[in-house]
Amino acid sequence: MAAQRLDGAARAAGILGEVRADLASPPLRGMRLRLASVSVGSHPTGSLYVRNQARACADLGIEFLPMELPADSDEDALVRRIQELNADPDLTGILLQRPFPPGFNARRLQAKVHPDKDVEGMNPANLGLIVYGTPRLAPCTALAAVDLARASAVPFKGREAVVIGHSEIVGKPIAFLLLNEFATATIAHIETRDLSLHTRKADFLFVAVGRPGLVRGEMVKPGAVVIDIGISRVQGPGGEVRTVGDVEEESVARVAGFLSPVPGGVGPVTVAMLMRNTAAAARLQTAKVPSR
Ligand code: NAD
């Protein structure tokens, strides 16, 4: 039987509806939400992801403010800009567009974003709260992947969950969010000796690597929930360029119970989570309590 498709667009629409309601209720009702999108060099508005961010903001009445530093700016110039934005009381969220120029220290930059304006959930204070089991602003893709898995209605508690990929922005936060749900979480990575040994026992399999075809049907437990987070651009036989994930869709769909497609799975939910975080960040600022 073919796996049930986990429809990211439908899930995103549901989340955006909740955010819209949130923005129309106290304490956010009447508040002006302004999200700065900072890049070094030409702002990647051409990228689909950034266009989708801008569109989602426009739909919700959130101001999306592209800010472009000159292409030859150094890391300190970006730090100074972040500090100005932190201090700007009219600005409720800060988004640092990736990838950073070569040589920039992503950790240092993420740590400079004020935790209450950190809509990407990448400041160490916000990442640390996931480890504490009390997430506040968490990384959008990790939230999206777990949310889409939850849409399968298979309970996390007590189940085996395997995450392939151990980055700070995706793999590690997914594993901690799953631990908070009492799943038994395993993280696999480039040095994992026998990937299939782990993936075959997974009731939930999250794949965040960026290698098309990494996970094939024979590596998947029958009935598993498979969440494909990878994004790669590949050229088809006719020269056409397509976006694909890390999962070999045809063989995995024959074995899995649920599968999130690429495109149309985690991607749209990630943008919706960014909007949810943007509203949550604004709420933190209305609370006027010192950040933890
Ligand atoms: P990354 O390069 O930081 O991390 C890749 C991870 O894959 C590492 O942990 C590495 O150890 C592991 N890995 C590499 N080769 C492997 C192999 N052969 N077997 C097992 N593990 C292997 O990447 P990232 O930033 O975590 O992104 C991962 C993927 O997710 C990329 O394709 C990226 O484009 C995609 N992504 C999607 C979204 C979204 O919104 N859908 C957001 C962010 C990233």
Side-chain angles (χ1 to χ4, degrees), residues 121-194:
M122 288 302 294
N123 180 289
N126 286 323
L127 283 174
L129 286 171
I130 306 178
V131 179
Y132 278 6
T134 53
R136 198 176 69 141
L137 296 169
C140 305
T141 303
L143 287 172
V146 173
D147 181 273
L148 209 48
R150 186 178 280 114
S152 70
V154 178
F156 290 120
K157 197 171 174 179
R159 306 286 167 117
E160 295 288 335
V162 173
V163 185
I164 313 179
H166 75 316
S167 71
E168 285 156 17
I169 194 165
V170 190
K172 284 182 192 166
I174 290 176
F176 279 101
L177 289 169
L178 294 169
L179 278 175
N180 294 342
E181 304 273 353
F182 285 96
T184 301
T186 302
I187 307 181
H189 45 71
I190 185 79
E191 298 293 347
T192 298
R193 292 215 179 131
D194 185 345

Side-chain angles (χ1 to χ4, degrees), residues 166-246:
H166 75 316
S167 71
E168 285 156 17
I169 194 165
V170 190
K172 284 182 192 166
I174 290 176
F176 279 101
L177 289 169
L178 294 169
L179 278 175
N180 294 342
E181 304 273 353
F182 285 96
T184 301
T186 302
I187 307 181
H189 45 71
I190 185 79
E191 298 293 347
T192 298
R193 292 215 179 131
D194 185 345
L195 198 55
S196 293
L197 180 78
H198 298 282
T199 60
R200 276 200 226 106
K201 66 171 188 182
D203 300 304
F204 291 90
L205 179 58
F206 295 82
V207 195
V209 173
R211 268 192 64 171
L214 178 72
V215 171
R216 301 175 306 281
E218 70 265 22
M219 299 166 70
V220 172
K221 180 176 176 179
V225 179
V226 180
I227 305 296
D228 191 353
I229 300 151
I231 300 177
S232 303
R233 302 280 286 158
V234 297
Q235 206 160 5
E240 77 287 357
V241 177
R242 324 180 271 132
T243 301
V244 297
D246 291 338

Side-chain angles (χ1 to χ4, degrees), residues 1 54 94 107 153 167-168 273 275 282 284 286:
M1 203 181 85
I94 301 171
R107 281 186 176 172
S167 71
E168 285 156 17
M273 288 301 180
M275 297 301 105
L284 287 171
T286 64

Side-chain angles (χ1 to χ4, degrees), residues 6-284:
L6 293 167
D7 184 345
R11 186 60 205 126
I15 295 165
L16 291 170
E18 289 163 18
V19 175
R20 191 181 298 282
D22 202 16
L23 295 178
S25 318
L28 297 182
R29 189 172 58 205
M31 187 175 169
R32 195 168 163 212
L33 269 61
R34 303 177 84 229
L35 176 59
S37 163
V38 189
S39 67
V40 178
S42 88
H43 197 272
T45 41
S47 100
L48 182 65
Y49 183 49
V50 179
R51 276 206 310 273
N52 288 341
Q53 292 170 346
R55 189 177 312 132
C57 281
D59 284 352
L60 291 168
I62 296 170
E63 280 179 62
F64 185 80
L65 306 165
M67 295 182 183
E68 185 182 312
L69 271 68
D72 59 357
S73 302
D74 62 11
E75 192 178 306
D76 286 338
L78 181 51
V79 168
R80 282 194 297 276
R81 175 58 65 92
I82 294 169
Q83 286 166 336
E84 284 163 21
L85 298 173
N86 284 339
D88 181 347
D90 291 333
L91 200 84
T92 52
I94 301 171
L95 179 57
L96 302 181
Q97 295 293 354
R98 284 151 225 272
F100 296 116
F104 277 37
N105 181 339
R107 281 186 176 172
R108 175 175 178 235
L109 294 166
Q110 287 156 191
K112 295 293 178 191
V113 175
H114 191 288
D116 290 354
K117 295 191 178 186
D118 176 30
V119 294
E120 293 178 288
M122 288 302 294
N123 180 289
N126 286 323
L127 283 174
L129 286 171
I130 306 178
V131 179
Y132 278 6
T134 53
R136 198 176 69 141
L137 296 169
C140 305
T141 303
L143 287 172
V146 173
D147 181 273
L148 209 48
R150 186 178 280 114
S152 70
V154 178
F156 290 120
K157 197 171 174 179
R159 306 286 167 117
E160 295 288 335
V162 173
V163 185
I164 313 179
H166 75 316
S167 71
E168 285 156 17
I169 194 165
V170 190
K172 284 182 192 166
I174 290 176
F176 279 101
L177 289 169
L178 294 169
L179 278 175
N180 294 342
E181 304 273 353
F182 285 96
T184 301
T186 302
I187 307 181
H189 45 71
I190 185 79
E191 298 293 347
T192 298
R193 292 215 179 131
D194 185 345
L195 198 55
S196 293
L197 180 78
H198 298 282
T199 60
R200 276 200 226 106
K201 66 171 188 182
D203 300 304
F204 291 90
L205 179 58
F206 295 82
V207 195
V209 173
R211 268 192 64 171
L214 178 72
V215 171
R216 301 175 306 281
E218 70 265 22
M219 299 166 70
V220 172
K221 180 176 176 179
V225 179
V226 180
I227 305 296
D228 191 353
I229 300 151
I231 300 177
S232 303
R233 302 280 286 158
V234 297
Q235 206 160 5
E240 77 287 357
V241 177
R242 324 180 271 132
T243 301
V244 297
D246 291 338
V247 163
E248 191 183 79
E249 206 168 329
E250 204 185 312
S251 63
V252 170
R254 280 200 292 269
V255 184
F258 298 85
L259 175 60
S260 71
V262 177
V266 172
V269 185
T270 296
V271 177
M273 288 301 180
L274 177 68
M275 297 301 105
R276 183 189 271 178
N277 275 356
T278 301
R283 197 177 312 104
L284 287 171

